[in-house]
Amino acid sequence: MRIHPGKDDLEELTAAWTGERFGSGRPRVPDDVLASLRLATTEEAWGHLFQAGYVRQFAGGWRETHPGTVIVGRAVTAQFLPHRPDFDDVVVAAGAREGHLEGDRQNSWVIETLEDGDVMVVDIFGKIVEGTVVGDNLGTAVASRTGVGAVIDGGIRDLQGLSQLPGGVNIFHRDVDPTPIRGVTLAGINIPVRIGGATVLPGDVILGTPTGVAVIPAHLAAAVAASSEDTRVRDVFGKQRLSERRYTSAQIDVPTWADDIEADFQQWRKEQNA
């Protein structure tokens, strides 16, 4: 057994991605694409993904350590299962072979792998009591390593401390409990996981907004960013023309504009970039 899949395994798992990768084989969506996606809304991202045939890319119903703070980053995934002694023995032995210390909690193994721009995405089957993946100490480690945060389909503890982490960081979670994590075993890092109704692969781009968490496959991230930007620009144009009473809402609020309005938009866009 391996805690971390090999490079070849990750490349096969994410074969749709043809761009740059980390040394581990995890897709590395470019920083400029991440920066563009920080301006996207959940609805813009979801709309493009839905049209592309990816219809289960959203998970809602979260609490946040920093409500309203939008996060965007590359997923590092992890899954925990209910503790079973023989399986846990296998995991501990595999962890030792891969350089993890037996005395360290298995949730810290995940944090050790994080890099700048990552989002730690943890499937702990919605466990809250004794399912607290991070408190303020490990949360600080996540924040310092990633500068972004985490999505935890389970619990956290020490919310008062976590809420004081620096701006720009946010941890999406299901609920808060004072108990420490126990009664679980790490099943793997950078493997496919389920968050709500969405499947997350390592290297996917996580877009966390007040609406919820959108999971953007790495190979679609650039297209989603471009589509979202186009939608934002069209919204500006449409509102301007409505305020000028050039067009009616019935003409603007449609999936596809008439040819003359589209031509007007393209000319306006050129003028804005001049």
Side-chain angles (χ1 to χ4, degrees):
M1 174 180 174
R2 293 181 60 93
I3 304 298
H4 305 263
K7 182 174 182 292
D8 291 344
D9 295 324
L10 277 178
E11 289 180 355
E12 181 179 8
L13 177 64
T14 58
W17 171 255
T18 58
E20 182 183 355
R21 294 178 179 269
F22 290 97
S24 65
R26 183 167 58 104
R28 191 187 190 286
V29 173
D31 291 340
D32 62 333
V33 174
L34 299 184
S36 179
L37 285 170
R38 288 189 184 94
L39 301 174
T41 67
T42 301
E43 289 74 16
E44 290 166 355
W46 181 88
H48 184 94
L49 294 172
F50 185 86
Q51 291 297 321
Y54 288 74
V55 300
R56 300 173 187 86
Q57 300 306 121
F58 174 77
W62 301 96
R63 295 182 61 176
E64 305 171 49
T65 57
H66 296 68
T69 298
V70 173
I71 63 170
V72 174
R74 310 173 188 93
V76 169
T77 62
Q79 182 187 48
F80 287 86
L81 299 175
H83 180 268
R84 171 173 160 160
D86 56 345
F87 178 60
D88 194 73
D89 289 343
V90 171
V91 169
V92 170
R97 290 194 302 270
E98 296 178 31
H100 298 294
L101 300 178
E102 183 175 351
D104 291 343
R105 289 186 178 271
Q106 292 170 8
N107 51 335
S108 70
W109 297 2
V110 186
I111 295 170
E112 291 167 5
T113 70
L114 299 173
E115 300 189 36
D116 184 57
D118 286 342
V119 175
M120 183 175 74
V121 180
V122 180
D123 171 11
I124 191 168
F125 54 93
K127 183 177 171 67
I128 307 299
V129 177
E130 299 182 348
T132 51
V133 176
V134 299
D136 57 357
N137 286 332
L138 290 185
T140 298
V142 171
S144 65
R145 284 175 174 270
T146 69
V148 184
V151 174
I152 299 172
D153 201 353
I156 63 170
R157 64 197 302 258
D158 301 323
L159 178 60
Q160 286 174 286
L162 288 172
S163 65
Q164 296 175 27
L165 290 173
V169 171
N170 198 356
I171 298 175
F172 288 73
H173 57 282
R174 293 305 188 187
D175 214 333
V176 183
D177 197 81
T179 55
I181 188 172
R182 56 189 167 195
V184 295
T185 297
L186 179 65
I189 299 172
N190 280 331
I191 61 175
V193 301
R194 180 182 69 84
I195 298 295
T199 297
V200 186
L201 299 185
D204 283 352
V205 176
I206 301 300
L207 170 62
T209 75
T211 301
V213 173
V215 180
I216 305 171
H219 67 284
L220 295 177
V224 171
S227 174
S228 297
E229 181 181 6
D230 182 70
T231 298
R232 288 193 299 275
V233 174
R234 286 176 181 274
D235 282 346
V236 171
F237 167 82
K239 290 173 182 176
Q240 179 177 323
R241 288 297 190 252
L242 286 171
S243 68
E244 296 167 348
R245 299 187 178 181
R246 291 271 296 273
Y247 307 120
T248 67
S249 59
Q251 291 175 297
I252 292 295
D253 193 16
V254 292
T256 303
W257 288 334
D259 290 345
D260 60 327
I261 299 178
E262 180 66 28
D264 183 22
F265 167 68
Q266 295 299 338
Q267 180 61 36
W268 174 88
R269 190 168 194 172
K270 288 180 181 178
E271 293 170 356
Q272 300 304 304
N273 293 331

